[in-house]
Every structure is written in C-alpha cells, then in structure tokens.
C-alpha cells in the first residue's frame, strides 16, 4: 500500500469523526490530518480513542481563510483531500445563510484552489473527494428516487450552498482536470451526532422527559443511513471510483418523521423500562420549517452494482444500537449539551 498524506476536513464533526476514525485505524500507512475550525458542531471528544495514534494529527483552522489553506497545503504536501467541513443544519441556514455561503462555497473553492496549485496538473495518485448531500436534488413527490443524473433543484440555503460547492468541484475537474469524486448521501444517524438534529435530539429529550418537537404533521419522509455505513462507502469510493465520478449513497430506508419518532419512543420505553406508550406522550407538533422538502429517497444502485457496497445494518437494529450508545455515553451528551466540549481543545492542545 502506498503511503499517502490525506487531509480530512471537518473531522471533528459527526460524519467526519467516523471517517477519520475509519481511516486512522484501517490504514496505518496513511498520515491523516484532520482540519477543523471547531465550530459549535466540532467536538474533539468524538476522537479521544484515536487522538494519540501515530498516523493522526489535528489542525485547528478555517477553510474560509484562503491564505492559511494555501500555506497549509504548501507545507503539508497532501496527496488527497476528503472534504466534509460544512455548516450542515438546515434551520441555521434559514436564519444565517451567509455563513453557509462562506464555509460551504468559498471554503470549498479555497480548498480546490490550494489542491490545484499544489498538484499543478499532475494528478497521478492525487484525489479531491467532496462529500455532499442528497438535498441538492430538491424534493420528491410520493414516488421516484434521486439518481446521479437527477437535475439539481435545491430549496434551502443549506442545500443551495452544497449544490453550489458540488458545481465548483465538477467545474475544477472539467476545466483544470483535477481528479475529483463526489458522493451525495441521504440522512445519517448514529453515535456522536450533535443533539440539534432529529434523532439525537429526540433521544436526549425522551431520556429527560422533555417535549419531542416534530415539524408540521411529521409527514416528511427521509431515507436514513447508519453513519458507519456512510464512512465505509466513502472509503470504497475514495479508493475505487474513477476521476470525475459521482455516487449516490443511501440506505433504501424511507421513514416518515412521525413513524421514526414513534419507533424511537418504543425503543426508548423498552430500554428505559417505561411502560409502553409513555414516551409517545412527549411528541409535540410544532410549526413546519419554511420550504420543508416533503420527501427524499436516494437510488444507490450504482454504488451497489459498481463498487459492491451495501448497507450493513437494518434500521431497527441500527436505531437500537444508536440509542444504546447515547444511553451509555451520558458524559458525552452532558458535555455537548452543557458546551463543556468546547474547552477540550484548550486543555488538550494548548501546550502543543
Ligand atoms: N448529517 C447528514 O445526515 C449528512 C448527510 C449527507 C451529507 N452530509 C454532509 O457531510 C458533511 C459532514 O456533515 P456532518 O453532519 O458531519 O456535519 P457537522 O455539522 O456535524 O460537522 C461539520 C464539521 O465541520 C467543521 N467546520 C464548519 N465550518 C468550518 C470551517 N469554516 N472550517 C473548518 N471546519 C469547519 C465543524 O467544526 C464540524 O466539525 C457535510 O459536508 C454535510 O453536508 C451530511
């Protein structure tokens, strides 16, 4: 196996931390550099199990800072980039779209420029992998699925900024010949997920007997994938996809939000020894999100057929595993909900 130096951006976030862990553990010959700004969503407590690994390094920094990114590439001489850093919460994009433009669009273009400059047209053994979302495709009606050729039709500032970044990544392939790959994935769930998102928020609130907010009537449909299956898909695509290709990643696992929350309530009642139906009483319907896409469903048959990837877990099993993780890792949840995680960088890295 060739030695590679790989920059993973956003590695302190939910999906990024799973990708960093997978690469650090699976490829001891690779040097993994995790670049993260440590916004509210970045949490180094996600990575304590690998932070001392000899093939891992953390760098705190902002992808919006073009001079810093250019200098980092000049000094580090990366062979590849796996780009996950992003503002990722749709509700936040509705209240503060510009932050999404800066990180998701400008930040991505800064990385593309730095990679292009460092590699200077010699892309043998070089690769820029951009991690994106199925939300770029817009919304579906009752039927149909997004494929890799579905036209982009983003509706929220978040999905518009991700769509824009996807276009820039493709443009750098078509214009400059940069070796790029893109994957568009459905909703992820699993451990280390910041509890502002549906599943960890509901688990935390059910645990604490607090209201579980559900948008509108809970009719919105999402396709859910276990985060470790996403990380494995990224590994497979990174190593095997041809330059310029796009892959959809998904679980073929569609759930109405309300059905998902009811299933979660059932699992939580069992795990917490509550009588059946107790947690469902916490469900509270709230005013729907503006421009809320009705249904997402992703066709990942290209990935399954060409690269032999299939999801490893059934949803009920994955959800039960996820609930177990949050119940067993109360300290993580407490540190996140009390913002204690934000001081970890200072205590852990200040002296280095
Ligand atoms: N969560 C999902 O269900 C999902 C699904 C498909 C695709 N994605 C995509 O996967 C990627 C990761 O998503 P996530 O859910 O792990 O997000 P997240 O919000 O949990 O993590 C994002 C990480 O990026 C870092 N970051 C933010 N702005 C930065 C900046 N300017 N410079 C450097 N670092 C910065 C944050 O500190 C954080 O660690 C995103 O690109 C997202 O669009 C997410």
């Amino acid at each position: 196996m060739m030695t590679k130096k790989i920059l993973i951006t956003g590695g302190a976030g939910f999906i990024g931390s799973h990708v960093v862990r997978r690469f650090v553990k699976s490829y001891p010959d690779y040097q993994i550099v995790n670049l993260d700004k440590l916004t509210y969503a970045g949490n180094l407590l996600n990575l304590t199990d690998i932070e001392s690994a000899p093939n891992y390094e953390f760098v705190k920094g902002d992808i919006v800072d073009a001079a810093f990114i250019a200098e980092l590439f000049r000094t580090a001489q990366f062979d590849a980039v796996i780009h996950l850093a992003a503002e990722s919460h749709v509700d936040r994009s509705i209240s503060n779209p510009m932050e999404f433009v800066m990180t998701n669009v400008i930040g991505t273009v800064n990385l593309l420029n730095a990679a292009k400059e460092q590699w200077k047209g010699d892309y043998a053994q070089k690769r820029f992998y951009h991690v994106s979302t199925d939300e770029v495709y817009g919304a579906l009606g009752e039927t149909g699925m997004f494929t890799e050729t579905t036209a982009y039709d983003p509706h929220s500032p978040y999905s518009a900024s991700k769509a824009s970044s996807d276009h820039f990544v493709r443009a750098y392939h078509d214009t400059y010949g940069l070796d790029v790959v893109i994957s568009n994935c459905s909703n992820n769930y699993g451990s280390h997920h910041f509890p502002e998102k549906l599943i960890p928020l509901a688990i935390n609130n059910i645990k604490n007997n607090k209201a579980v907010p559900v948008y509108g009537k809970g009719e919105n449909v999402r396709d859910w994938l276990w985060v470790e299956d996403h990380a494995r898909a990224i590994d497979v695509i990174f190593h095997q996809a041809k330059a310029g290709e796009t892959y959809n990643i998904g679980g073929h696992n569609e759930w109405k939000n309300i059905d998902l929350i009811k299933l979660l309530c059932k699992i939580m009642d069992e795990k917490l020894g509550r009588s059946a139906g107790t947690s469902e009483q916490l469900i509270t319907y709230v005013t729907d999100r503006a421009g809320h896409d009705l249904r997402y469903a992703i066709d990942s048959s290209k990935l399954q057929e060409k690269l032999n990837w299939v999801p490893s877990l059934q949803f009920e099993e994955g959800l039960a595993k996820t609930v177990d993780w949050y119940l067993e890792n109360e300290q993580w949840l407490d540190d996140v909900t009390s913002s204690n995680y934000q001081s970890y960088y200072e205590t852990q890295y200040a002296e280095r």
Side-chain angles (χ1 to χ4, degrees):
M1 187 182 292
M2 270 202 46
T3 303
K4 280 190 198 299
K5 189 161 188 181
I6 304 177
L7 175 68
I8 299 183
T9 69
F14 167 47
I15 301 170
S17 63
H18 286 278
V19 175
V20 165
R21 179 176 300 99
R22 182 175 180 92
F23 274 73
V24 166
K25 286 191 168 176
S26 308
Y27 303 106
D29 291 344
Y30 291 3
Q31 278 298 319
I32 303 300
V33 177
N34 171 12
L35 168 67
D36 199 296
K37 183 183 173 184
L38 299 182
T39 67
Y40 78 95
N43 180 357
L44 287 175
L45 292 172
N46 290 351
L47 291 167
T48 47
D49 56 331
I50 54 104
E51 68 186 5
S52 306
N55 63 336
Y56 172 73
E57 185 188 342
F58 175 71
V59 175
K60 185 175 178 193
D62 187 346
I63 59 169
V64 177
D65 183 344
F68 162 76
I69 291 297
E71 185 55 25
L72 180 68
F73 272 73
R74 259 194 304 277
T75 50
Q77 298 286 312
F78 299 115
D79 299 300
V81 178
I82 303 178
H83 174 37
L84 295 107
E87 287 293 337
S88 70
H89 191 42
V90 175
D91 291 344
R92 288 178 189 257
S93 81
I94 293 169
S95 47
N96 189 1
M98 193 49 87
E99 210 163 336
F100 285 68
V101 175
M102 295 311 290
T103 287
N104 298 1
V105 185
I106 308 288
T108 301
V109 177
N110 283 339
L111 290 166
L112 288 165
N113 282 338
K116 176 167 84 66
E117 184 55 30
Q118 192 205 302
W119 299 334
K120 291 194 173 22
D122 178 7
Y123 303 125
Q125 307 296 323
K126 303 286 191 283
R127 172 144 283 181
F128 190 104
Y129 186 142
H130 180 58
V131 175
S132 193
T133 167
D134 63 351
E135 299 192 30
V136 298
Y137 298 124
L140 292 163
E142 300 285 314
T143 57
M145 289 184 132
F146 301 131
T147 72
E148 286 81 359
T149 54
T150 301
Y152 277 27
D153 184 21
H155 295 157
S156 72
Y158 165 64
S159 54
S161 68
K162 290 297 290 189
S164 172
S165 65
D166 291 11
H167 289 319
F168 270 103
V169 172
R170 278 197 192 96
Y172 273 59
H173 173 260
D174 296 349
T175 308
Y176 307 110
L178 199 71
D179 179 317
V180 307
V181 284
I182 299 178
S183 56
N184 297 84
C185 189
S186 60
N187 279 33
N188 284 212
Y189 71 95
S191 68
H192 303 91
H193 204 180
F194 195 79
E196 66 179 352
K197 304 280 174 81
L198 183 69
I199 291 179
L201 179 100
I203 293 174
N204 193 35
N205 285 13
I206 293 169
K207 175 172 159 261
N208 294 309
N209 273 309
K210 283 168 62 178
V212 178
V214 173
Y215 281 126
K217 294 182 180 146
E219 294 291 307
N220 304 70
V221 176
R222 299 292 179 262
D223 175 8
W224 291 92
L225 180 70
W226 190 42
V227 64
E228 293 188 36
D229 281 333
H230 187 187
R232 184 166 49 85
I234 289 173
D235 184 345
V236 168
I237 294 167
F238 176 76
H239 286 102
Q240 296 181 34
K242 290 202 194 98
E245 281 209 287
T246 293
Y247 280 90
N248 280 351
I249 311 173
H252 286 287
N253 176 45
E254 289 180 47
W255 284 78
K256 270 189 190 167
N257 283 349
I258 188 60
D259 295 337
L260 185 161
I261 294 296
K262 285 184 176 168
L263 173 62
L264 203 51
C265 287
K266 184 169 162 276
I267 295 173
M268 292 286 287
D269 281 344
E270 285 162 14
K271 302 267 181 204
L272 296 171
R274 295 177 182 168
S275 51
T278 308
S279 299
E280 267 196 32
Q281 290 167 16
L282 297 168
I283 294 174
T284 308
Y285 295 97
V286 297
T287 310
D288 207 356
R289 168 191 279 166
H292 205 173
D293 291 335
L294 176 68
R295 175 172 166 261
Y296 303 143
I298 197 147
D299 179 352
S300 59
S301 50
K302 178 181 173 189
L303 177 60
Q304 306 208 5
E305 283 157 23
K306 281 200 171 180
L307 303 185
N308 220 9
W309 170 95
V310 281
S312 70
L313 282 186
Q314 294 299 312
F315 189 52
E316 284 82 349
E317 186 190 351
L319 208 52
K321 232 174 137 85
T322 301
V323 169
D324 283 340
W325 188 85
Y326 286 96
L327 295 179
E328 284 159 15
N329 288 275
E330 277 199 317
Q331 188 61 48
W332 183 92
L333 208 47
D334 289 349
D335 284 338
V336 172
T337 46
S338 67
S339 299
N340 276 349
Y341 69 103
Q342 283 168 330
S343 54
Y344 184 74
Y345 174 76
E346 274 70 36
T347 50
Q348 188 68 12
Y349 288 89
E351 303 303 317
R352 295 186 184 181

